[in-house]
Amino acid sequence: MATASFLTRARALLRVRNQLARECLAELLAVFVLILITLSGSAQMVTSSGTKGNILTAYLAGALAVMVAIYTAGGVSGAHLNPAFSLAMCLLEQFPWWKFPIFVAVQTSGAFVSAGAVYALYYDAIQHYSNGTLAASGPRETASIFATYPADYLSLSNGFLDQVVGTALLMVGILAILDTRNKGIPKGLEPVAVALLVFSIEVSMGSNCGCPMNPARDFGPRLFTFVAGWGVEVFRWVEGRGGGG
């Protein structure tokens, strides 16, 4: 009885009553979960040299991560997870513009912190695979665990088009799934449909740039690699450099 009373008082003290704070915390947690699973799938593939994962398992991890993240925060913040989606909601007048920079900052911060967690989780594996050298290019590069890089053949203009088309398709698909005037999806299964949408885009449009489709997902971890020792090369576009997805 005393324990139950203590837990009740603790919950009352820790409860966040401000709606914006609740939304930000939910978005932060959801993005953390999203990036933790997504990058871990890439880390497992890269550091095992493909023996414990491949590009298909990495894509599947990313798609399922979206599903888990939406279930995590959908009821509180709407689980935007992505500055592109937040922007689309603003343009459609379904989300206030004043919240947009706040959500972008929270999403990017969540991705940055999550990249640090993946680095800690796979620290020994990364050090072993890379022989202790953190590189963004070359046969033992590990930067592609955290961010996406262009294929050898890709030009800047084609890379830009690739991301515009992929992200636009993602936005159209999500809006179609959420539109109550369309053929309905059973209530509660919307995150599953979005995960399948993400997976379909990844397996059909992932070869050029790795299909990030999410500025926070790419910039947050990329910023982490810069801070953690990979160097400024993580921000440079070099045709023919290579790099993973």
Side-chain angles (χ1 to χ4, degrees), residues 139-156:
R140 291 285 174 172
E141 64 82 20
T142 48
S144 64
I145 290 173
F146 299 91
T148 57
Y149 292 87
D152 292 349
Y153 54 78
L154 199 68
S155 65
L156 181 60

Side-chain angles (χ1 to χ4, degrees), residues 21-219:
R22 287 167 59 86
E23 291 175 1
C24 288
L25 287 172
E27 199 73 8
L28 184 71
L29 177 60
V31 172
F32 181 86
V33 169
L34 168 66
I35 304 305
L36 183 67
I37 298 174
T38 300
L39 300 190
S40 292
S42 295
Q44 183 165 297
M45 174 186 67
V46 171
T47 59
S48 70
S49 299
T51 61
K52 296 180 180 178
N54 53 41
I55 193 66
L56 190 61
T57 63
Y59 284 158
L60 184 59
L64 293 176
V66 171
M67 179 187 71
V68 176
I70 295 174
Y71 278 124
T72 299
V76 181
S77 69
H80 288 201
L81 310 176
N82 185 340
F85 182 75
S86 297
L87 177 61
M89 291 296 97
C90 289
L91 293 173
L92 293 172
E93 298 183 346
Q94 295 182 24
F95 189 68
W97 280 101
W98 67 267
K99 282 187 179 181
F100 176 67
I102 299 174
F103 264 48
V104 171
V106 169
Q107 291 157 358
T108 304
S109 298
F112 180 92
V113 173
S114 189
V118 172
Y119 181 57
L121 183 64
Y122 277 92
Y123 179 81
D124 288 347
I126 291 172
Q127 293 297 316
H128 178 265
Y129 175 80
S130 66
N131 295 319
T133 301
L134 303 179
S137 59
R140 291 285 174 172
E141 64 82 20
T142 48
S144 64
I145 290 173
F146 299 91
T148 57
Y149 292 87
D152 292 349
Y153 54 78
L154 199 68
S155 65
L156 181 60
S157 58
N158 200 176
F160 177 78
L161 177 63
D162 175 90
Q163 285 308 290
V164 169
V165 172
T167 304
L169 181 57
L170 176 66
M171 296 301 107
V172 169
I174 292 175
L175 292 174
I177 290 169
L178 298 178
D179 192 340
T180 56
R181 295 169 297 179
N182 283 339
K183 187 174 179 63
I185 292 172
K187 186 173 178 59
L189 292 181
E190 296 90 348
V192 178
V194 175
L196 291 173
L197 168 64
V198 170
F199 186 63
S200 69
I201 296 173
E202 287 177 326
V203 297
S204 62
M205 300 182 184
S207 63
N208 283 336
C209 291
C211 220
M213 301 182 292
N214 183 338
R217 175 260 177 271
D218 193 80
F219 180 72

